[in-house]
Amino acid sequence: MDNIVDYIKTQIETIVSQSVKDLMVKGIFPEFELTGVNVEIPREKGRGEFSANTAMQITKKVGKPPRMVAEEIIKNMKLEDSYIERVECAGPGFMNFYLKKDWLTDALKLIEEKGADYGKINFGKGKRVMVEFVSANPTGPLHMGNARGGALGDCIASVLEAAGYDVTREFYVNDAGNQMEIFGRSLEARFIQEIRGEDAVEFPEDGYFGEDIKERAREYIKEYGQDLIKQPSEIIRKTLADYALEKNLKSIKEALGYYGINFDVWFREKSLYESGAIEDTLNYLKNNGFTVEKDGALWLSAEAAGIEKDEVLVRANGLCTYFAADIAYHRNKFVDRGFDWVINLWGADHHGHVARMKAAMKALEIDPDKLDIVLFQLVRLYRNGEIARMSKRTGKSISLMDLLDEVGRDAARFFFNLKTSGSHLDFDLDLAVSQSNENPVFYVQYAHARICSMLSLLEGEGLRVPLAKEVDFSLLDSKEERELMTKLAELPEEIKSSAVTLEPSRLTRYLMDTAGLFHSFYNACRIKGEKKELAEARLFLAAQTKTVLGNVLRLLSISAPERM
RNA sequence: GUGCCUGUAGCUCAGCUGGAUAGAGCAACGGACUUCUAAUCCGUAGGCCUGGGGUUCGAAUCCCUUCAGGCACGCCA
């Protein structure tokens, strides 16, 4: 067993549905199909550890008022050999389940037994899932959108790993196509300007205006001299683009490293051209009637694919669109590499792309439900109370590295995972820089450091963390102790929920809750100076809390300091 | 104009596969350091869940509509 909450939920489901079936057999309830039993943890205290609303759901089918239905079900339950102590009918017809205390004892024993693995579950059963994220254009440094997508994607990947999936983290390198052209032209212009002066050549209107482009041109000259300028334009562009691309990728990798993100695969768009994958995919679509030709271009047919309007795949000039490459890329993910599930993280400005991507999957006979797109709202940067517009092209953007220098990896990762991906995020730089206690990451880390410091201090006084079998759990009976233990017991279930919803923000909230309950426990329940049995029981609880906080922080790649 | 996202406490947000008295964190106010880390705790106050209508035993949650903000609608990526 790795998830006691899930275990008990299942137990309750079984008991309830068995009771309902028995009532049907006895003729007290009419025959009907029970579609499922909903077991929840009530939000409010004092309503049992779990509750079920089955009676209200089936009240019509039974033909009796919900409270009466609930009473009947409760009367017929067989509670032997379960964690359930008693069941009450409450409110409009809820069944509230009160558990025997040993469920918490067993939960704490589980933490001791699993240690650093506590929280991991086998929900995913080893299913192969790819999480593709960041995938920033390698034409410049990583910006705040990449920062949010990076923290989100990496934590989604980690959550899925903890939930028992076989996870691959992938970065799609857009090293082909139109923006590489623009990249080359921008570099060429800066290169010439660098050598012959600002006015020697006009900078392309749609070019990348960032300082980093000038920087790369200068670096090239420093490294290889000026001879390249004698070459034809085409050669200059290609040479500079290849040179700058690798430089950029290197610094992107470096920044991501500081950010705690390591990709398993860096997939090159160019390889799709070289392997013929794009051509194959286009042929497939053509041969199966999903394309139309008009105005000299090849389009994905709206009618055949079931989308709103036709989308260009191959331009009149013979070059493929990003969309065409992306279809081939996803075919590669599913067909060539056999992933069971693919998750992409896109900025919300790409939402229009979702429907046609899924439609393309369907055309390729790939189940579109196997592709999940997590859209995250873009980050708005505030400085001095004003919106700081971030754009690669203005050259005034704040890069991921700038952010990490200012606020550090821990705060950045925590902050970006504080809110659900769909919510807008205003990032106040002044606040983030201030590193005050307004930043919740300190609150959580402080709890961890506090436990560590307490454990070592008490150990110095001869008080060691006991083994679970030496602990008298009946002594842990205060409100603070019970609430903390309950929270610790819920971690595996919380990981499951995070995996199902693809929302790691649940875990940062879980951390804050757990830290808060620990701080309350710490203030209400002293250890030093108490009788040995009580002191040891509390010490044991503190040690398990440390394990839980440490495990979740580690899962999110946020440090768990021993002292602060 | 069409489509997608968002609207909940002063601020930032949870809750949204319908459930019980709508929850946190900041900020505000009042308390707690001779006692294991006060980066902490305890308490108080704070709400027409944008407005309106519908569905039903029951709606912040589902449906319709209004208003407000963001985004996308290119042979860009």
Side-chain angles (χ1 to χ4, degrees), chain A residues 361-414:
Chain A
M361 292 300 99
K362 214 173 154 197
L364 294 172
E365 289 179 357
I366 295 164
D367 179 2
D369 290 340
K370 288 182 167 184
L371 174 66
D372 267 310
I373 315 285
V374 175
L375 294 173
F376 56 92
Q377 296 293 326
L378 294 182
V379 180
R380 238 183 340 192
L381 221 47
Y382 277 83
R383 189 191 286 117
N384 302 325
E386 285 177 4
I387 296 174
R389 194 146 178 82
M390 25 167 254
S391 161
K392 246 182 214 178
R393 298 181 174 205
T394 61
K396 286 180 188 168
S397 67
I398 295 209
S399 72
L400 173 61
M401 274 311 276
D402 298 332
L403 180 77
L404 292 176
D405 281 345
E406 285 180 22
V407 305
R409 178 217 275 203
D410 289 349
R413 289 185 69 111
F414 199 97

Side-chain angles (χ1 to χ4, degrees), chain A residues 423-488:
Chain A
S423 72
H424 297 268
L425 180 59
D426 292 337
F427 201 110
D428 185 336
L429 281 169
D430 307 315
L431 182 72
V433 172
S434 76
Q435 294 211 4
S436 67
N437 62 348
E438 284 169 29
N439 196 333
V441 67
F442 294 114
Y443 183 78
V444 173
Q445 290 181 321
Y446 181 61
H448 186 268
R450 204 176 209 187
I451 298 171
C452 292
S453 134
M454 182 173 76
L455 292 184
S456 71
L457 188 126
L458 291 176
E459 195 181 312
E461 296 183 10
L463 199 54
R464 284 169 182 279
V465 178
L467 297 172
K469 60 183 178 189
E470 301 162 349
V471 173
D472 180 358
F473 286 96
S474 70
L475 298 173
L476 299 175
D477 202 33
S478 72
K479 170 176 159 283
E480 287 81 7
E481 287 156 337
R482 272 182 286 118
E483 286 181 1
L484 178 58
M485 288 190 282
T486 304
K487 186 54 84 173
L488 299 184

Side-chain angles (χ1 to χ4, degrees), chain A residues 275-334:
Chain A
S275 68
I278 294 179
E279 213 182 321
D280 287 352
T281 303
L282 290 173
N283 283 335
Y284 181 95
L285 292 172
K286 248 186 266 180
N287 295 338
N288 288 279
F290 287 103
T291 60
V292 288
E293 285 194 47
K294 65 177 181 196
D295 306 330
L298 184 72
W299 308 65
L300 181 66
S301 156
E303 205 189 333
I307 47 179
E308 278 186 24
K309 56 187 173 74
D310 296 343
E311 296 290 341
V312 177
L313 294 168
V314 182
R315 300 187 193 101
N317 64 10
L319 295 176
C320 289
T321 59
Y322 174 86
F323 184 39
D326 216 15
I327 297 172
Y329 177 38
H330 282 81
R331 191 173 182 227
N332 171 280
K333 291 180 182 180
F334 285 108

Side-chain angles (χ1 to χ4, degrees), chain A residues 513-534:
Chain A
D513 289 348
T514 307
L517 290 171
F518 173 76
H519 287 309
S520 297
F521 158 75
Y522 178 89
N523 277 274
C525 307
R526 299 199 56 80
I527 294 175
K528 203 174 159 183
E530 295 289 350
K531 272 191 290 188
K532 187 166 181 285
E533 290 76 19
L534 181 59

